Amino acid sequence: EAEAFARIVSSGAPISGRSGDDGDSVGVWSELMLFDGRAWVSEACAIAVTLCAVLSAAPEVAGTVVTAEGEVVPPQGQVTIFRLRPGAHVLPHVGVTNRRLVLQFPLSGFEGVGFRVDSEWRNYTEGAPLLFDDSFEHEVVHAGANARFVLYAVLHHPGLGRPSFEKVD
């Protein structure tokens, strides 16, 4: 359901693509937002029912953490499915905090896609997630033939404490 994907416009993660690839409504880099950090997006979850059910039940994604100092940390970000067109390059960029980890799980089209975190280049492997601290510089280079789709989920950093759904007074 490609029409459900929305173009990503981000000053924090600039992108380049092949000439002419950015002319349609979804552009070179697009997403199907499932969780915006506050609420699950019902229209998108109607398309990705199982993903939303599993991830909304995961406190690492949607729960809160109470740190050793008593600070209550809400969910750290989003859950989305990213689509990246062949020939695209998500230029080097960094996340906003080291209080979270990013999980990317390849769904399809990941052959020929290189992913760099700090000085380490990685490739996607079927059935294997990439987990990284996005406060380190990272980038994606898509030299493959097909659109890449990855599940992207922001998780609480385990150093903060144990996430849960328990109410905090």
Side-chain angles (χ1 to χ4, degrees):
E1 306 212 17
E3 63 275 359
F5 282 75
R7 176 188 301 265
I8 295 174
V9 178
S10 171
S11 60
I15 186 164
S16 66
R18 295 184 301 205
S19 179
D21 271 356
D22 207 29
D24 65 10
S25 63
V26 295
V28 173
W29 193 21
S30 57
E31 69 181 327
L32 176 64
M33 179 72 70
L34 303 175
F35 178 64
D36 66 9
R38 296 178 308 279
W40 292 88
V41 180
S42 58
E43 298 84 11
C45 286
I47 296 168
V49 176
T50 302
L51 282 175
C52 289
V54 169
L55 294 171
S56 66
E60 297 81 5
V61 173
T64 59
V65 170
V66 179
T67 67
E69 295 78 29
E71 177 188 4
V72 177
V73 181
Q76 293 292 298
Q78 66 191 38
V79 175
T80 193
I81 297 173
F82 283 140
R83 174 183 158 220
L84 187 66
R85 286 197 166 149
H89 181 190
V90 180
L91 300 171
H93 61 286
V94 296
V96 297
T97 180
N98 64 355
R99 296 171 62 118
R100 64 188 201 175
L101 295 178
V102 169
L103 175 129
Q104 287 194 12
F105 190 89
L107 300 173
S108 67
F110 50 86
E111 298 84 6
V113 178
F115 185 84
R116 181 184 64 82
V117 177
D118 197 21
S119 61
E120 180 184 343
W121 281 94
R122 305 173 186 182
N123 294 307
Y124 293 100
T125 302
E126 185 173 354
L130 292 177
L131 187 65
F132 65 99
D133 178 340
D134 81 335
S135 69
F136 289 92
E137 184 179 81
H138 53 285
E139 68 181 304
V140 180
V141 177
H142 192 340
N146 300 306
R148 177 209 72 165
F149 291 87
V150 296
L151 172 65
Y152 171 96
V154 178
L155 312 175
H156 284 290
H157 194 290
L160 290 175
R162 185 181 182 129
S164 74
F165 289 117
E166 294 176 20
K167 295 286 183 197
V168 179
D169 295 329

PDB file of all heavy atoms in Angstrom, residues 76-104:
ATOM      1  N   GLN A  76      10.682   7.002  23.926  1.00  0.00           N
ATOM      2  CA  GLN A  76      11.782   7.780  23.364  1.00  0.00           C
ATOM      3  C   GLN A  76      11.603   8.193  21.907  1.00  0.00           C
ATOM      4  O   GLN A  76      12.442   8.896  21.373  1.00  0.00           O
ATOM      5  CB  GLN A  76      13.086   6.995  23.504  1.00  0.00           C
ATOM      6  CG  GLN A  76      13.517   6.836  24.935  1.00  0.00           C
ATOM      7  CD  GLN A  76      13.919   8.158  25.539  1.00  0.00           C
ATOM      8  OE1 GLN A  76      14.848   8.800  25.089  1.00  0.00           O
ATOM      9  NE2 GLN A  76      13.189   8.594  26.545  1.00  0.00           N
ATOM     10  N   GLY A  77      10.566   7.750  21.244  1.00  0.00           N
ATOM     11  CA  GLY A  77      10.441   8.137  19.848  1.00  0.00           C
ATOM     12  C   GLY A  77       9.351   7.396  19.135  1.00  0.00           C
ATOM     13  O   GLY A  77       8.273   7.197  19.674  1.00  0.00           O
ATOM     14  N   GLN A  78       9.651   6.956  17.944  1.00  0.00           N
ATOM     15  CA  GLN A  78       8.616   6.486  17.046  1.00  0.00           C
ATOM     16  C   GLN A  78       8.814   5.051  16.606  1.00  0.00           C
ATOM     17  O   GLN A  78       9.863   4.458  16.813  1.00  0.00           O
ATOM     18  CB  GLN A  78       8.582   7.388  15.823  1.00  0.00           C
ATOM     19  CG  GLN A  78       9.855   7.288  14.992  1.00  0.00           C
ATOM     20  CD  GLN A  78       9.945   8.353  13.927  1.00  0.00           C
ATOM     21  OE1 GLN A  78       9.563   9.488  14.152  1.00  0.00           O
ATOM     22  NE2 GLN A  78      10.469   8.004  12.775  1.00  0.00           N
ATOM     23  N   VAL A  79       7.775   4.535  15.962  1.00  0.00           N
ATOM     24  CA  VAL A  79       7.835   3.275  15.228  1.00  0.00           C
ATOM     25  C   VAL A  79       7.294   3.583  13.839  1.00  0.00           C
ATOM     26  O   VAL A  79       6.213   4.160  13.701  1.00  0.00           O
ATOM     27  CB  VAL A  79       6.985   2.171  15.896  1.00  0.00           C
ATOM     28  CG1 VAL A  79       6.987   0.914  15.035  1.00  0.00           C
ATOM     29  CG2 VAL A  79       7.478   1.870  17.299  1.00  0.00           C
ATOM     30  N   THR A  80       8.048   3.227  12.829  1.00  0.00           N
ATOM     31  CA  THR A  80       7.637   3.526  11.467  1.00  0.00           C
ATOM     32  C   THR A  80       8.211   2.478  10.525  1.00  0.00           C
ATOM     33  O   THR A  80       9.113   1.737  10.897  1.00  0.00           O
ATOM     34  CB  THR A  80       8.105   4.957  11.067  1.00  0.00           C
ATOM     35  OG1 THR A  80       7.458   5.374   9.876  1.00  0.00           O
ATOM     36  CG2 THR A  80       9.604   5.042  10.887  1.00  0.00           C
ATOM     37  N   ILE A  81       7.680   2.411   9.338  1.00  0.00           N
ATOM     38  CA  ILE A  81       8.283   1.614   8.280  1.00  0.00           C
ATOM     39  C   ILE A  81       8.856   2.619   7.283  1.00  0.00           C
ATOM     40  O   ILE A  81       8.128   3.461   6.749  1.00  0.00           O
ATOM     41  CB  ILE A  81       7.270   0.682   7.598  1.00  0.00           C
ATOM     42  CG1 ILE A  81       6.725  -0.322   8.616  1.00  0.00           C
ATOM     43  CG2 ILE A  81       7.920  -0.034   6.411  1.00  0.00           C
ATOM     44  CD1 ILE A  81       5.589  -1.187   8.091  1.00  0.00           C
ATOM     45  N   PHE A  82      10.169   2.565   7.095  1.00  0.00           N
ATOM     46  CA  PHE A  82      10.839   3.450   6.147  1.00  0.00           C
ATOM     47  C   PHE A  82      10.938   2.783   4.786  1.00  0.00           C
ATOM     48  O   PHE A  82      11.232   1.592   4.688  1.00  0.00           O
ATOM     49  CB  PHE A  82      12.266   3.766   6.598  1.00  0.00           C
ATOM     50  CG  PHE A  82      12.383   4.783   7.693  1.00  0.00           C
ATOM     51  CD1 PHE A  82      13.316   4.607   8.700  1.00  0.00           C
ATOM     52  CD2 PHE A  82      11.605   5.931   7.711  1.00  0.00           C
ATOM     53  CE1 PHE A  82      13.466   5.540   9.710  1.00  0.00           C
ATOM     54  CE2 PHE A  82      11.738   6.870   8.721  1.00  0.00           C
ATOM     55  CZ  PHE A  82      12.673   6.675   9.716  1.00  0.00           C
ATOM     56  N   ARG A  83      10.712   3.587   3.769  1.00  0.00           N
ATOM     57  CA  ARG A  83      10.929   3.164   2.374  1.00  0.00           C
ATOM     58  C   ARG A  83      12.014   4.069   1.807  1.00  0.00           C
ATOM     59  O   ARG A  83      11.938   5.292   1.940  1.00  0.00           O
ATOM     60  CB  ARG A  83       9.650   3.341   1.571  1.00  0.00           C
ATOM     61  CG  ARG A  83       9.850   3.070   0.104  1.00  0.00           C
ATOM     62  CD  ARG A  83       8.563   3.343  -0.670  1.00  0.00           C
ATOM     63  NE  ARG A  83       8.907   3.586  -2.044  1.00  0.00           N
ATOM     64  CZ  ARG A  83       8.356   4.505  -2.805  1.00  0.00           C
ATOM     65  NH1 ARG A  83       7.420   5.284  -2.326  1.00  0.00           N
ATOM     66  NH2 ARG A  83       8.732   4.656  -4.044  1.00  0.00           N
ATOM     67  N   LEU A  84      13.034   3.459   1.199  1.00  0.00           N
ATOM     68  CA  LEU A  84      14.130   4.218   0.598  1.00  0.00           C
ATOM     69  C   LEU A  84      14.327   3.723  -0.823  1.00  0.00           C
ATOM     70  O   LEU A  84      14.492   2.521  -1.059  1.00  0.00           O
ATOM     71  CB  LEU A  84      15.414   4.021   1.411  1.00  0.00           C
ATOM     72  CG  LEU A  84      16.619   4.861   1.027  1.00  0.00           C
ATOM     73  CD1 LEU A  84      16.359   6.350   1.294  1.00  0.00           C
ATOM     74  CD2 LEU A  84      17.863   4.393   1.797  1.00  0.00           C
ATOM     75  N   ARG A  85      14.297   4.640  -1.767  1.00  0.00           N
ATOM     76  CA  ARG A  85      14.438   4.263  -3.177  1.00  0.00           C
ATOM     77  C   ARG A  85      15.883   3.930  -3.532  1.00  0.00           C
ATOM     78  O   ARG A  85      16.813   4.476  -2.949  1.00  0.00           O
ATOM     79  CB  ARG A  85      13.948   5.400  -4.069  1.00  0.00           C
ATOM     80  CG  ARG A  85      12.455   5.511  -4.083  1.00  0.00           C
ATOM     81  CD  ARG A  85      12.006   6.329  -5.257  1.00  0.00           C
ATOM     82  NE  ARG A  85      10.588   6.158  -5.461  1.00  0.00           N
ATOM     83  CZ  ARG A  85       9.817   7.106  -5.951  1.00  0.00           C
ATOM     84  NH1 ARG A  85      10.310   8.281  -6.278  1.00  0.00           N
ATOM     85  NH2 ARG A  85       8.529   6.882  -6.115  1.00  0.00           N
ATOM     86  N   PRO A  86      16.057   3.046  -4.522  1.00  0.00           N
ATOM     87  CA  PRO A  86      17.417   2.749  -5.000  1.00  0.00           C
ATOM     88  C   PRO A  86      18.123   4.026  -5.452  1.00  0.00           C
ATOM     89  O   PRO A  86      17.496   4.943  -5.977  1.00  0.00           O
ATOM     90  CB  PRO A  86      17.181   1.817  -6.189  1.00  0.00           C
ATOM     91  CG  PRO A  86      15.828   1.223  -5.962  1.00  0.00           C
ATOM     92  CD  PRO A  86      15.042   2.291  -5.258  1.00  0.00           C
ATOM     93  N   GLY A  87      19.428   4.065  -5.220  1.00  0.00           N
ATOM     94  CA  GLY A  87      20.220   5.229  -5.611  1.00  0.00           C
ATOM     95  C   GLY A  87      20.238   6.335  -4.570  1.00  0.00           C
ATOM     96  O   GLY A  87      20.949   7.327  -4.721  1.00  0.00           O
ATOM     97  N   ALA A  88      19.470   6.169  -3.502  1.00  0.00           N
ATOM     98  CA  ALA A  88      19.391   7.208  -2.473  1.00  0.00           C
ATOM     99  C   ALA A  88      20.567   7.120  -1.505  1.00  0.00           C
ATOM    100  O   ALA A  88      21.168   6.067  -1.310  1.00  0.00           O
ATOM    101  CB  ALA A  88      18.080   7.085  -1.701  1.00  0.00           C
ATOM    102  N   HIS A  89      20.858   8.239  -0.896  1.00  0.00           N
ATOM    103  CA  HIS A  89      21.909   8.325   0.125  1.00  0.00           C
ATOM    104  C   HIS A  89      21.367   9.207   1.248  1.00  0.00           C
ATOM    105  O   HIS A  89      21.159  10.395   1.051  1.00  0.00           O
ATOM    106  CB  HIS A  89      23.173   8.931  -0.479  1.00  0.00           C
ATOM    107  CG  HIS A  89      24.320   9.032   0.473  1.00  0.00           C
ATOM    108  ND1 HIS A  89      25.459   9.728   0.168  1.00  0.00           N
ATOM    109  CD2 HIS A  89      24.509   8.545   1.727  1.00  0.00           C
ATOM    110  CE1 HIS A  89      26.312   9.655   1.181  1.00  0.00           C
ATOM    111  NE2 HIS A  89      25.745   8.950   2.141  1.00  0.00           N
ATOM    112  N   VAL A  90      21.077   8.587   2.394  1.00  0.00           N
ATOM    113  CA  VAL A  90      20.733   9.355   3.589  1.00  0.00           C
ATOM    114  C   VAL A  90      22.070   9.821   4.139  1.00  0.00           C
ATOM    115  O   VAL A  90      22.878   9.011   4.607  1.00  0.00           O
ATOM    116  CB  VAL A  90      19.950   8.519   4.623  1.00  0.00           C
ATOM    117  CG1 VAL A  90      19.617   9.364   5.834  1.00  0.00           C
ATOM    118  CG2 VAL A  90      18.680   7.940   4.010  1.00  0.00           C
ATOM    119  N   LEU A  91      22.328  11.104   4.017  1.00  0.00           N
ATOM    120  CA  LEU A  91      23.640  11.665   4.331  1.00  0.00           C
ATOM    121  C   LEU A  91      23.960  11.545   5.817  1.00  0.00           C
ATOM    122  O   LEU A  91      23.055  11.376   6.645  1.00  0.00           O
ATOM    123  CB  LEU A  91      23.683  13.121   3.870  1.00  0.00           C
ATOM    124  CG  LEU A  91      23.447  13.304   2.356  1.00  0.00           C
ATOM    125  CD1 LEU A  91      23.282  14.777   2.018  1.00  0.00           C
ATOM    126  CD2 LEU A  91      24.571  12.686   1.560  1.00  0.00           C
ATOM    127  N   PRO A  92      25.241  11.604   6.176  1.00  0.00           N
ATOM    128  CA  PRO A  92      25.626  11.463   7.582  1.00  0.00           C
ATOM    129  C   PRO A  92      24.867  12.440   8.481  1.00  0.00           C
ATOM    130  O   PRO A  92      24.734  13.625   8.162  1.00  0.00           O
ATOM    131  CB  PRO A  92      27.124  11.772   7.558  1.00  0.00           C
ATOM    132  CG  PRO A  92      27.564  11.407   6.175  1.00  0.00           C
ATOM    133  CD  PRO A  92      26.401  11.777   5.298  1.00  0.00           C
ATOM    134  N   HIS A  93      24.366  11.899   9.597  1.00  0.00           N
ATOM    135  CA  HIS A  93      23.617  12.700  10.563  1.00  0.00           C
ATOM    136  C   HIS A  93      23.670  12.008  11.916  1.00  0.00           C
ATOM    137  O   HIS A  93      24.148  10.879  12.019  1.00  0.00           O
ATOM    138  CB  HIS A  93      22.162  12.896  10.111  1.00  0.00           C
ATOM    139  CG  HIS A  93      21.395  11.627   9.977  1.00  0.00           C
ATOM    140  ND1 HIS A  93      21.578  10.743   8.933  1.00  0.00           N
ATOM    141  CD2 HIS A  93      20.450  11.066  10.773  1.00  0.00           C
ATOM    142  CE1 HIS A  93      20.770   9.710   9.085  1.00  0.00           C
ATOM    143  NE2 HIS A  93      20.073   9.862  10.205  1.00  0.00           N
ATOM    144  N   VAL A  94      23.214  12.689  12.947  1.00  0.00           N
ATOM    145  CA  VAL A  94      23.187  12.133  14.305  1.00  0.00           C
ATOM    146  C   VAL A  94      21.803  12.325  14.903  1.00  0.00           C
ATOM    147  O   VAL A  94      21.079  13.246  14.543  1.00  0.00           O
ATOM    148  CB  VAL A  94      24.245  12.780  15.231  1.00  0.00           C
ATOM    149  CG1 VAL A  94      25.649  12.485  14.740  1.00  0.00           C
ATOM    150  CG2 VAL A  94      24.016  14.270  15.363  1.00  0.00           C
ATOM    151  N   GLY A  95      21.445  11.442  15.850  1.00  0.00           N
ATOM    152  CA  GLY A  95      20.203  11.581  16.594  1.00  0.00           C
ATOM    153  C   GLY A  95      20.354  12.642  17.667  1.00  0.00           C
ATOM    154  O   GLY A  95      21.436  13.196  17.882  1.00  0.00           O
ATOM    155  N   VAL A  96      19.256  12.893  18.365  1.00  0.00           N
ATOM    156  CA  VAL A  96      19.213  14.001  19.317  1.00  0.00           C
ATOM    157  C   VAL A  96      19.636  13.639  20.732  1.00  0.00           C
ATOM    158  O   VAL A  96      19.865  14.528  21.547  1.00  0.00           O
ATOM    159  CB  VAL A  96      17.808  14.639  19.356  1.00  0.00           C
ATOM    160  CG1 VAL A  96      17.466  15.250  18.005  1.00  0.00           C
ATOM    161  CG2 VAL A  96      16.760  13.606  19.752  1.00  0.00           C
ATOM    162  N   THR A  97      19.754  12.351  21.045  1.00  0.00           N
ATOM    163  CA  THR A  97      20.073  11.966  22.414  1.00  0.00           C
ATOM    164  C   THR A  97      20.693  10.577  22.451  1.00  0.00           C
ATOM    165  O   THR A  97      20.469   9.777  21.540  1.00  0.00           O
ATOM    166  CB  THR A  97      18.808  11.988  23.306  1.00  0.00           C
ATOM    167  OG1 THR A  97      19.158  11.613  24.642  1.00  0.00           O
ATOM    168  CG2 THR A  97      17.735  11.045  22.788  1.00  0.00           C
ATOM    169  N   ASN A  98      21.450  10.300  23.504  1.00  0.00           N
ATOM    170  CA  ASN A  98      21.979   8.952  23.691  1.00  0.00           C
ATOM    171  C   ASN A  98      21.148   8.175  24.711  1.00  0.00           C
ATOM    172  O   ASN A  98      21.567   7.156  25.219  1.00  0.00           O
ATOM    173  CB  ASN A  98      23.449   8.989  24.107  1.00  0.00           C
ATOM    174  CG  ASN A  98      23.659   9.642  25.453  1.00  0.00           C
ATOM    175  OD1 ASN A  98      22.740  10.162  26.080  1.00  0.00           O
ATOM    176  ND2 ASN A  98      24.904   9.644  25.905  1.00  0.00           N
ATOM    177  N   ARG A  99      19.938   8.647  24.990  1.00  0.00           N
ATOM    178  CA  ARG A  99      19.034   7.982  25.938  1.00  0.00           C
ATOM    179  C   ARG A  99      18.174   6.918  25.269  1.00  0.00           C
ATOM    180  O   ARG A  99      17.261   6.380  25.868  1.00  0.00           O
ATOM    181  CB  ARG A  99      18.129   9.020  26.598  1.00  0.00           C
ATOM    182  CG  ARG A  99      18.879  10.008  27.438  1.00  0.00           C
ATOM    183  CD  ARG A  99      17.987  11.133  27.877  1.00  0.00           C
ATOM    184  NE  ARG A  99      16.895  10.641  28.694  1.00  0.00           N
ATOM    185  CZ  ARG A  99      16.699  10.979  29.951  1.00  0.00           C
ATOM    186  NH1 ARG A  99      17.526  11.809  30.547  1.00  0.00           N
ATOM    187  NH2 ARG A  99      15.679  10.512  30.620  1.00  0.00           N
ATOM    188  N   ARG A 100      18.452   6.646  24.004  1.00  0.00           N
ATOM    189  CA  ARG A 100      17.643   5.686  23.264  1.00  0.00           C
ATOM    190  C   ARG A 100      18.527   4.853  22.347  1.00  0.00           C
ATOM    191  O   ARG A 100      19.664   5.227  22.045  1.00  0.00           O
ATOM    192  CB  ARG A 100      16.601   6.422  22.431  1.00  0.00           C
ATOM    193  CG  ARG A 100      17.214   7.294  21.350  1.00  0.00           C
ATOM    194  CD  ARG A 100      16.203   8.152  20.667  1.00  0.00           C
ATOM    195  NE  ARG A 100      16.682   8.600  19.357  1.00  0.00           N
ATOM    196  CZ  ARG A 100      15.968   9.281  18.516  1.00  0.00           C
ATOM    197  NH1 ARG A 100      14.731   9.616  18.819  1.00  0.00           N
ATOM    198  NH2 ARG A 100      16.464   9.631  17.355  1.00  0.00           N
ATOM    199  N   LEU A 101      17.993   3.733  21.908  1.00  0.00           N
ATOM    200  CA  LEU A 101      18.616   2.915  20.880  1.00  0.00           C
ATOM    201  C   LEU A 101      17.641   2.806  19.717  1.00  0.00           C
ATOM    202  O   LEU A 101      16.420   2.902  19.909  1.00  0.00           O
ATOM    203  CB  LEU A 101      18.935   1.515  21.410  1.00  0.00           C
ATOM    204  CG  LEU A 101      19.980   1.442  22.520  1.00  0.00           C
ATOM    205  CD1 LEU A 101      20.150  -0.007  22.984  1.00  0.00           C
ATOM    206  CD2 LEU A 101      21.315   2.014  22.079  1.00  0.00           C
ATOM    207  N   VAL A 102      18.170   2.609  18.546  1.00  0.00           N
ATOM    208  CA  VAL A 102      17.338   2.462  17.357  1.00  0.00           C
ATOM    209  C   VAL A 102      17.466   1.036  16.847  1.00  0.00           C
ATOM    210  O   VAL A 102      18.573   0.504  16.723  1.00  0.00           O
ATOM    211  CB  VAL A 102      17.749   3.467  16.264  1.00  0.00           C
ATOM    212  CG1 VAL A 102      17.084   3.147  14.939  1.00  0.00           C
ATOM    213  CG2 VAL A 102      17.415   4.882  16.704  1.00  0.00           C
ATOM    214  N   LEU A 103      16.329   0.428  16.568  1.00  0.00           N
ATOM    215  CA  LEU A 103      16.270  -0.889  15.964  1.00  0.00           C
ATOM    216  C   LEU A 103      15.797  -0.723  14.530  1.00  0.00           C
ATOM    217  O   LEU A 103      14.804  -0.034  14.290  1.00  0.00           O
ATOM    218  CB  LEU A 103      15.285  -1.784  16.727  1.00  0.00           C
ATOM    219  CG  LEU A 103      15.056  -3.153  16.116  1.00  0.00           C
ATOM    220  CD1 LEU A 103      15.245  -4.219  17.174  1.00  0.00           C
ATOM    221  CD2 LEU A 103      13.699  -3.243  15.476  1.00  0.00           C
ATOM    222  N   GLN A 104      16.520  -1.302  13.602  1.00  0.00           N
ATOM    223  CA  GLN A 104      16.074  -1.371  12.213  1.00  0.00           C
ATOM    224  C   GLN A 104      16.019  -2.845  11.834  1.00  0.00           C
ATOM    225  O   GLN A 104      17.013  -3.564  11.963  1.00  0.00           O
ATOM    226  CB  GLN A 104      17.012  -0.616  11.272  1.00  0.00           C
ATOM    227  CG  GLN A 104      16.895   0.870  11.393  1.00  0.00           C
ATOM    228  CD  GLN A 104      17.568   1.593  10.244  1.00  0.00           C
ATOM    229  OE1 GLN A 104      17.947   1.001   9.235  1.00  0.00           O
ATOM    230  NE2 GLN A 104      17.718   2.895  10.399  1.00  0.00           N
TER     231      GLN A 104
END
